[in-house]
Amino acid sequence: MSDKTAERVASNATFLFAAQLITGGLSLITMVLLPRYYGATGIGVYHLASSLWTITALLIGFGTDVVITREVARNKERVSELVSVGLLLRIAFHFVGYMSVVIFAHVAGYSSEIIQIVYIFGIANFLYQLGHILGAALYGLEQFKILALADIIVEVVVTAGIVGMIVAGQSIVMVAAVSILAGFSRTVFLFLMLRKQTVLQFIFKMPLVSWMLKEGASILTNRLLRNVYAQADVIIISLFVNETVVGWYSVADVAYGALLMIPNIISTALFPTLARLFTHEPDRLPSVARRSLNMVLLFSVPMGLGIFIVSRTVLMLIVGDEFVNSVPVMAGFGIVTIFTSVNIFLGQLLIAMNRQNKLSILLIIAIALTLPIDLLLIPWTQAVLGNGALGGVVSYLITEMVILIGCLVALPKGLFSRQNGAFALRVIIAGGVMVLLTWPLRNAFLFWPIIVGILVYLAAAFILKLITQEEMNLARGVWRKGWQRLRGLFVTAPN
């Protein structure tokens, strides 16, 4: 990976990370306020309608956003034709999806309040779907500053709107209506920004419709399989144990999802570059892939092992003694995080190389494996250890290992080298030293194991030459440019 490429990817990741921090902080406000003012019933109504549209939106999208991003990254001249067909498909699919959800809501006998919110979320979803196509094109153009601003604008509108509705004493239905304004704001902003990046024209090519549907179908299949795979443990725990054990597992699972923010940001920032290199500079792809894998390992190993160490302290601080049985589950998810982080990157690499069908096959294998393993381990860990959630996390670990091996087999031979294996071994050694020296502090005030863990890992990384002086110089340059651009995110309008 050249210094220029590394700087661009790091800059993209900086914008994504900043947006995540800001939007996460704002969403925390609504997360606290909504339950307090509308109670369990109001929140239940809101989230039921939201869940119906979350599932439907996945089907409406049909994976076309990923296809557009990948193809725009390879050829910027195709923006207009890809966006035109993508928008038409979203409009057609949304009409079908809207009618389906509305009919289902009426047939299921939901209350008038739920049905009103279903209608409202349907309008908002339509606006968001149009914005997703525009955003996919900007993603392919690597306009991460614009995408970060769009996310921040949405969260500001949502937070301000919800707070305003609460202050005005409005119903949960009016709170839902805020989503329409947020969707409209995002789509208009993205449209205006995309017009600044390229000349937009309506170009309709019928053959492109069938091609996009074919390509999108494999992405959609992948997403559906991943959802089934992710939810399998929870479903089986609920069938064989009880809601309390599901709660133990779910608390740890939420923390696990938060841990994946960094690998998701890295892989997202890399995707356009990987897609472009695959088509235009295939000789450079192995070098970029190898350094990227090393980077993912460098971050994910200490992060996963760190959670393994401080899982008790973190959970007791956040949720209290009621969830003490979540501690070993969260510790287990810390280990799972390492494998999942690598799998996220390898999955993006497979999609960038048009090998998403192989990723879908791997997910089918993982689902086929996780069911019998869950059926064996969850009842056993509940009977022997009094915690069936442990069986779920062990099952997850096994299947993530299988997916990792499968991804490496599915990728072209020679893409990675022995250097990656040697680097992974040195990272594991550095992580092991961190665990050994930090473990005695696992029950201390959270600040101390975190600081000691970071210092020990950095020292081991330098000694084992995981971080070279050249990379340090590059990191300092990236930091300076990233900080300047981050300041520009709030001071100047995007170009």
Side-chain angles (χ1 to χ4, degrees):
M1 188 189 300
S2 67
D3 287 358
K4 186 176 180 181
T5 301
E7 285 185 11
R8 183 174 63 251
V9 171
S11 175
N12 294 340
T14 300
F15 288 129
L16 292 173
F17 185 71
Q20 285 279 348
L21 290 179
I22 295 169
T23 57
L26 290 171
S27 64
L28 184 62
I29 296 173
T30 58
M31 190 186 304
V32 172
L33 291 178
L34 284 174
R36 289 178 179 273
Y37 284 90
Y38 294 99
T41 302
I43 293 301
V45 166
Y46 187 89
H47 282 288
L48 175 57
S50 176
S51 296
L52 290 174
W53 273 110
T54 299
I55 297 168
T56 309
L58 185 66
L59 299 173
I60 292 171
F62 211 79
T64 53
D65 53 332
V66 176
V67 177
I68 291 171
T69 295
R70 185 178 65 194
E71 298 307 316
V72 168
R74 294 171 177 173
N75 186 355
K76 297 178 181 180
E77 302 302 319
R78 300 189 66 192
V79 170
S80 289
E81 64 180 46
L82 290 167
V83 168
S84 298
V85 172
L87 289 173
L88 288 175
L89 288 175
R90 290 289 170 107
I91 292 170
F93 285 163
H94 185 271
F95 176 77
V96 176
Y98 192 92
M99 297 303 297
S100 301
V101 173
V102 167
I103 291 172
F104 174 80
H106 282 281
V107 171
Y110 290 139
S111 67
S112 60
E113 192 175 38
I114 293 175
I115 291 175
Q116 288 179 66
I117 297 178
V118 165
Y119 280 118
I120 290 169
F121 281 163
I123 298 171
N125 181 70
F126 175 71
L127 295 169
Y128 273 106
Q129 290 291 347
L130 300 181
H132 290 335
I133 296 297
L134 302 171
L138 287 164
Y139 182 13
L141 295 170
E142 296 190 71
Q143 294 299 317
F144 286 85
K145 179 178 180 179
I146 294 172
L147 295 172
L149 274 172
D151 289 342
I152 293 169
I153 288 170
V154 167
E155 205 58 51
V156 168
V157 170
V158 168
T159 304
I162 290 176
V163 170
M165 292 299 174
I166 291 173
V167 171
Q170 296 295 319
S171 68
I172 194 69
V173 174
M174 291 304 296
V175 169
V178 172
S179 62
I180 296 177
L181 179 59
F184 178 79
S185 302
R186 183 176 190 271
T187 299
V188 169
F189 175 75
L190 292 175
F191 176 72
L192 294 175
M193 292 300 104
L194 185 57
R195 282 185 63 188
K196 287 188 176 183
Q197 301 300 317
T198 185
V199 177
L200 280 180
Q201 297 176 309
F202 180 76
I203 302 175
F204 179 74
K205 296 180 180 180
M206 192 62 195
L208 194 59
V209 174
S210 57
W211 173 83
M212 190 173 289
L213 288 174
K214 180 182 177 182
E215 292 293 312
S218 58
I219 302 295
L220 175 64
T221 300
N222 183 279
R223 287 175 171 174
L224 291 172
L225 288 171
R226 185 160 291 282
N227 280 339
V228 173
Y229 169 63
Q231 298 303 318
D233 293 337
V234 174
I235 294 171
I236 294 180
I237 290 173
S238 68
L239 292 175
F240 281 87
V241 196
N242 54 52
E243 289 80 5
T244 301
V245 180
V246 172
W248 298 342
Y249 184 89
S250 298
V251 165
D253 193 29
V254 169
Y256 162 70
L259 286 173
L260 297 178
M261 181 182 76
I262 291 179
N264 271 317
I265 287 174
I266 294 173
S267 298
T268 299
L270 281 165
F271 181 70
T273 298
L274 297 172
R276 183 175 58 256
L277 291 177
F278 174 70
T279 300
H280 299 295
E281 299 180 78
D283 292 340
R284 285 187 57 208
L285 183 60
S287 173
V288 174
R290 290 166 189 172
R291 287 191 68 177
S292 301
L293 177 59
N294 288 349
M295 181 169 58
V296 172
L297 287 168
L298 192 64
F299 281 101
S300 63
V301 169
M303 185 172 59
L305 293 179
I307 286 298
F308 176 80
I309 296 168
V310 301
S311 56
R312 173 178 291 274
T313 306
V314 170
L315 282 176
M316 294 304 98
L317 180 66
I318 296 174
V319 293
D321 294 339
E322 182 182 355
F323 290 91
V324 67
N325 285 306
S326 295
V327 171
V329 183
M330 186 170 173
F333 269 124
I335 306 301
V336 174
T337 297
I338 300 170
F339 292 92
T340 306
S341 299
V342 176
N343 289 341
I344 289 171
F345 166 68
L346 296 179
Q348 289 283 64
L349 187 54
L350 283 168
I351 294 172
M353 300 177 72
N354 294 345
R355 298 185 177 214
Q356 60 267 18
N357 288 334
K358 293 188 177 183
L359 184 58
S360 296
I361 292 171
L362 287 173
L363 288 170
I364 292 172
I365 293 172
I367 293 169
L369 282 175
T370 198
L371 294 176
I373 295 174
D374 279 343
L375 292 172
L376 175 67
L377 290 181
I378 289 173
W380 185 82
T381 51
Q382 180 64 28
V384 176
L385 303 174
N387 191 346
L390 282 171
V393 75
V394 172
S395 172
Y396 216 141
L397 178 60
I398 293 171
T399 50
E400 285 296 310
M401 289 179 177
V402 171
I403 291 174
L404 173 59
I405 295 170
C407 284
L408 293 175
V409 172
L411 289 164
K413 290 183 179 179
L415 185 63
F416 298 113
S417 67
R418 291 183 179 179
Q419 183 273 338
N420 291 112
F423 187 90
L425 180 60
R426 299 204 307 275
V427 170
I428 292 170
I429 292 172
V433 172
M434 182 190 78
V435 172
L436 184 65
L437 297 182
T438 311
W439 185 255
L441 301 173
R442 64 190 182 278
N443 294 321
F445 180 60
L446 189 59
F447 173 83
W448 295 114
I450 290 176
I451 291 298
V452 171
I454 291 173
L455 293 176
V456 169
Y457 182 76
L458 286 176
F462 276 109
I463 293 171
L464 295 170
K465 297 183 179 179
L466 298 174
I467 305 173
T468 64
Q469 187 60 47
E470 179 186 356
E471 289 168 333
M472 284 296 296
N473 293 336
L474 176 61
R476 280 194 289 267
V478 168
W479 170 259
R480 284 195 297 268
K481 290 185 179 180
W483 176 247
Q484 291 170 359
R485 293 182 180 183
L486 194 58
R487 290 179 62 189
L489 181 66
F490 305 102
V491 176
T492 61
N495 294 321

